[in-house]
Structures are given as structure tokens and as C-alpha cells.
Amino acid sequence: MKRVVYFALIVSLMFCLSCGKMVDWAPVNLQVYVQDSAGKDLLDPENGNSWVEGTTLTFRGEECPIDLEGSPLTKDYMPVFYGFRIEKDGDRYCMVYGEVDGGMSYKNEEFIIRWPDGTEDVISLTRRLNEITINARNVWRLNGKKTDFPIVIVK
């Protein structure tokens, strides 16, 4: 009898947790810093870096050229697709792609960055959502190897 009561309690708890709960998941942005082996920011225009011009990113078969102007910052936070762009992050520059739907799970979703010199880097995202604990876990890989986020590419 205790088993039936525990089972009913667990089922009703799961039902209560899953019903009527609407979660506004934060979107996912790919964020990449590019530096040389000495740590010099290769995206900073003051470093004379012209090799970024012509860089593209492919996501789900759609190629997106890099926007070197970036996007204006506003106080509004609206889910807007800004594409592939350069942004200043404190004293460093980074490449940002997004926004990607944060309310979805992904399994090895690839972002392919093609550089003007003909090389490419493949970044993949595995995202698992847990609707009960309202938690998301992202695993990022750079060229097949697990990496920290934001991603740092050394050229």
C-alpha cells in the first residue's frame, strides 16, 4: 500500500511541476575570441588585423558573412537575430553569432567559421534542457575537443 501512495505522490508531483509552467529560456549566443599564441587580441582593429574581413560562419547550412560594424547596444532585450558580428567586450573584441533559440535542445549543432586564408574551425553545441529543474547544460567543442565558453581560438 505504501508503494501505491508513494507512486501516486510522485506522479501527482510530476504533474503539478509540468503543468502550467512557462519558462522563458535565455537565447544562446556563440561568442569567440581570437588571439595569437602570446594572447594578443587579433580582432582589435588597432592591431592592424585585416584577415577577419571575408570571414563567414555557416549554421544549419546558411552562410553568414561577418559584420565588422557590429550592432548598436540598447536597453531593450528583445529576441532578435543579429547574425555574425564583431563586438567590443570590455577591453577585448569578440565575434558573436546569434541569437539561437535557447528553448531547444541541440545535439552537436555545428557552427563552421571559414577564414579568409582557407582554413576553418568547427564549433559544436550540445544543449540539454531540464524542464523540471529549469536548467540548461551547454557543452561546447572546438574542432572536436571540449572547450570552455566563451571560446578562444589561437591563430
Side-chain angles (χ1 to χ4, degrees):
M1 183 67 178
K2 285 185 179 180
R3 286 185 182 171
V4 173
V5 171
Y6 285 126
F7 180 74
L9 181 62
I10 289 171
V11 168
S12 62
L13 182 63
M14 288 175 56
F15 180 75
C16 289
L17 289 175
S18 65
C19 289
K21 187 187 306 182
M22 186 171 168
V23 179
D24 187 16
W25 295 97
V28 178
N29 281 312
L30 172 65
Q31 195 172 3
V32 179
Y33 294 91
V34 183
Q35 63 188 36
D36 65 11
S37 59
K40 181 179 172 185
D41 182 2
L42 296 180
L43 298 176
D44 189 340
E46 290 184 12
N47 291 335
N49 181 24
S50 61
W51 63 268
V52 174
E53 202 164 317
T55 299
T56 62
L57 182 136
T58 302
F59 177 68
R60 292 188 169 175
E62 197 169 314
E63 188 174 77
C64 187
I66 194 160
D67 175 6
L68 298 175
E69 301 299 317
S71 56
L73 297 176
T74 67
K75 290 184 179 182
D76 287 342
Y77 186 76
M78 302 295 289
V80 176
F81 177 70
Y82 290 108
F84 186 40
R85 64 204 183 273
I86 296 280
E87 287 186 356
K88 187 154 185 170
D89 183 25
D91 61 342
R92 300 184 69 194
Y93 286 82
C94 65
M95 296 186 306
V96 179
Y97 179 80
E99 301 177 338
V100 178
D101 188 353
M104 292 179 54
S105 291
Y106 298 98
K107 182 167 178 142
N108 295 322
E109 197 72 48
E110 289 187 343
F111 302 83
I112 303 168
I113 299 176
R114 289 190 179 83
W115 306 101
D117 66 359
T119 61
E120 67 182 32
D121 287 297
V122 178
I123 298 167
S124 66
L125 167 65
T126 297
R127 180 177 174 84
R128 290 190 176 90
L129 297 178
N130 186 328
E131 300 278 346
I132 294 173
T133 62
I134 309 175
N135 190 18
R137 182 172 175 258
N138 295 332
V139 176
W140 294 93
R141 295 187 184 280
L142 173 60
N143 299 322
K145 295 180 183 174
K146 192 173 178 181
T147 187
D148 293 329
F149 188 83
I151 297 164
V152 176
I153 295 177
V154 179
K155 289 283 188 193

